[in-house]
Amino acid sequence: MLVRFVTGNEGKAREAQEYLDGITAVNRVEYDYTEIQSDSLTEIATRGARESFEELSGTEPVLVGDTGLFVDALGGFPGPYSAYVEDTVGVERLWRLASEEDDHRARFRTVLGYADADRTETFEGELVGTLVPPRGDGGFGYDPIFEYNGQTLAEMDVEEKNAISHRGRALAKFADWYADCE
Ligand code: ITT
Ligand code: NA
């Protein structure tokens, strides 16, 4: 079995490959699907998966993943704009903004979108944690400022992060469903 993970982000693809090892092979594919302007990660992932499957040649199923970091005290910012904020403001300055609030709670949400010739499905995962000054050099993106159980995600290896993370939880739901499909 082979699933094509459509992403420009190698960190995301690595986590999916590690998690789905033994269930299906995962090839990373680059395709710039339309990221519609929406507050809904589910809508973005659903449309992205469908469009990728239709536009890419080949019959293997595709997965896309859309993730946001939602800071409670900032009304959920940056949420669906997390990639834009990482590229413009950067992770360290988002921490400084959040550090001015009393409540440092934040959550990652991931929605995986799956599409093949017959089906489009989504799988969600969430991780609640605390924003902290950057620590650790593993992971990617906002991992150095997101602490869970005393460790930042950047202080965990891929396996440890997958065992608790938003993406790991979404991948677990996908893996259960996919195993039943065959
Ligand atoms: P693709 O759309 O090409 O897949 P992307 O990096 O834009 O790549 P996302 O939309 O899922 O992927 O990510 C939105 C932002 O959140 C982006 O800045 C990521 O670096 C960051 N991010 C995603 N997953 C993360 C994780 O597990 N830990 C830390 N940051 C993460
Ligand atoms: Na994205």
Side-chain angles (χ1 to χ4, degrees):
M1 279 189 283
L2 176 66
V3 171
R4 297 174 290 174
F5 197 134
V6 183
T7 180
N9 184 319
E10 286 179 33
K12 285 168 59 170
R14 202 178 325 117
E15 290 175 10
Q17 280 158 347
E18 162 94 22
Y19 197 95
L20 297 173
D21 187 33
I23 295 162
T24 177
V26 179
N27 275 2
R28 186 168 79 90
V29 175
E30 296 213 42
Y31 171 70
D32 214 2
Y33 57 86
T34 317
E35 291 216 7
I36 53 158
Q37 197 74 11
S38 170
D39 288 344
S40 161
L41 297 179
T42 302
E43 199 179 342
I44 296 169
T46 303
R47 301 247 215 132
R50 198 72 245 151
E51 180 187 327
S52 298
F53 183 80
E54 303 299 339
E55 296 300 321
L56 288 165
S57 58
T59 56
E60 300 90 5
V62 300
L63 274 179
V64 305
D66 206 44
T67 300
L69 174 68
F70 298 78
V71 181
D72 287 8
L74 301 179
F77 180 83
Y81 309 104
S82 295
Y84 180 71
V85 168
E86 186 191 338
D87 289 346
T88 51
V89 168
V91 170
E92 175 120 33
R93 277 164 75 194
L94 180 68
W95 154 247
R96 274 191 257 146
L97 186 63
S99 72
E100 290 172 13
E101 306 294 326
D102 293 333
D103 173 12
H104 294 167
R105 204 151 70 135
R107 63 199 70 223
F108 277 115
R109 283 189 55 228
T110 281
V111 179
L112 288 176
Y114 169 96
D116 64 20
D118 309 316
R119 292 163 297 191
T120 310
E121 296 283 337
T122 57
F123 307 90
E124 296 189 29
E126 188 181 62
L127 175 66
V128 178
T130 307
L131 295 189
V132 295
R135 291 197 325 260
D137 45 29
F140 64 94
Y142 295 97
D143 282 345
I145 65 167
F146 191 97
E147 189 183 71
Y148 178 78
N149 235 346
Q151 273 192 303
T152 68
L153 298 183
E155 292 175 318
M156 302 180 186
D157 63 31
V158 174
E159 209 175 331
E160 285 175 296
K161 180 181 166 187
N162 265 341
I164 53 101
S165 79
H166 48 103
R167 185 166 299 99
R169 288 170 183 172
L171 284 165
K173 292 182 189 167
F174 166 71
D176 278 353
W177 174 81
Y178 199 53
D180 284 345
C181 285
E182 303 313 310

